[in-house]
Amino acid sequence: TELMQTLGMAGGRFEVQLATLPQPTAHGLEEVVFAVAGHAGTSPKPLAKVASGGELSRIALCVAVITSQLGHAPTLIFDEIDSGVGGVVAHTVGQLMARLGKDRQVMAVTHLPQVAAQAHHHWVVSKSSSAQGTVSQVQAVQANDRVLEIARMLGDAEGESATLAHARSL
């Protein structure tokens, strides 16, 4: 609930509810329900029924941040956990992922420059096709190449000075 406040869900709440089942099952007498209220003034409802894709991504990140403090998973992998967010919220997602990376390895697939800029290391995955087939490539980017890649992610295809300055500031 606390982290939701920083991810564009002010007033939102997250609850774990235990619903009693009419008959015992292999998993016990209760069903665990994750419930969420996306903003102030609403009551928590089952996550699967009320959360948008972006809200699901942000809540998943909150759960990952909180539960990572409880365990010792050496590596966390996120595949576009930042989908459906942008702007300041994307920057906060990047900061949370960087926080996770302080005591473990975090690997993330992202299309957001605000998230990519927070990483300690940055790789670009690209594909090229020819008559022989499609080939994927992974290339590390560093220093000025990284600034150019962040600028490209911001939408700059021409090396405009304002976008390059924004990329450097990220």
Side-chain angles (χ1 to χ4, degrees):
T1 297
E2 182 181 327
L3 285 176
M4 287 173 63
Q5 311 311 303
T6 67
L7 292 172
M9 301 173 81
R13 291 192 330 266
F14 180 84
E15 293 180 359
V16 178
Q17 301 172 347
L18 299 176
T20 302
L21 297 171
Q23 298 292 322
T25 69
H27 302 288
L29 291 171
E30 297 171 314
E31 175 184 35
V32 177
V33 177
F34 294 137
V36 67
H39 48 81
T42 60
S43 59
K45 300 213 175 2
L47 179 67
K49 294 184 180 186
V50 298
S52 69
E55 288 171 333
L56 283 173
S57 295
R58 288 177 276 169
I59 291 167
L61 179 60
C62 291
V63 170
V65 169
I66 296 302
T67 58
S68 74
Q69 297 166 359
L70 304 174
H72 301 289
T75 302
L76 299 172
I77 301 172
F78 299 107
D79 185 8
E80 297 186 18
I81 198 160
D82 52 13
S83 70
V85 303
V88 173
V89 173
H91 186 73
T92 303
V93 167
Q95 289 177 324
L96 284 174
M97 293 178 77
R99 183 168 125 192
L100 280 172
K102 287 184 179 183
D103 57 1
R104 64 187 35 89
Q105 179 178 4
V106 175
M107 299 176 72
V109 174
T110 184
H111 298 279
L112 297 179
Q114 299 95 322
V115 174
Q118 298 286 328
H120 293 108
H121 302 281
H122 188 154
W123 290 271
V124 175
V125 179
S126 61
K127 292 182 183 180
S128 59
S129 297
S130 68
Q132 290 76 32
T134 301
V135 176
S136 296
Q137 297 176 319
V138 179
Q139 180 178 349
V141 289
Q142 299 173 15
N144 194 54
D145 288 340
R146 185 168 184 195
V147 172
L148 292 173
E149 176 58 19
I150 297 292
R152 186 199 64 77
M153 293 173 80
L154 286 164
D156 183 3
E158 314 254 336
E160 295 177 18
S161 61
T163 309
L164 288 171
H166 186 195
R168 280 186 197 94
S169 73
L170 287 174

